[in-house]
Amino acid sequence: MSVTHILAALGGLSVILAAASRLPDAAADVLRGCVGLVHAVHELRAAWRQADPEGEPADRAG
């Protein structure tokens, strides 16, 4: 292995480690987004239930 290969490997390793250190922050951002989505879906289901208390979708009723 030449010095150039060793330096390239070290440079690549540093880039990979820098990206890996950002993964926990990115995962936390994804989870925060999912929590917001779950809340929105919950509110949507509650609104649907209020609009049709019998549980029958409006397009199938009647």
Side-chain angles (χ1 to χ4, degrees), residues 24-43:
D25 293 334
D29 290 341
V30 168
L31 285 176
R32 281 187 210 109
C34 288
V35 167
L37 178 65
V38 167
H39 283 272
V41 168
H42 177 71
E43 290 179 13

Side-chain angles (χ1 to χ4, degrees), residues 12-59:
L13 183 62
S14 67
V15 168
I16 290 170
L17 289 176
S21 70
R22 286 184 241 140
L23 282 177
D25 293 334
D29 290 341
V30 168
L31 285 176
R32 281 187 210 109
C34 288
V35 167
L37 178 65
V38 167
H39 283 272
V41 168
H42 177 71
E43 290 179 13
L44 182 62
R45 289 181 66 195
W48 279 341
R49 285 185 184 140
Q50 286 179 351
D52 189 18
E54 295 178 10
E56 237 352 86
D59 60 344

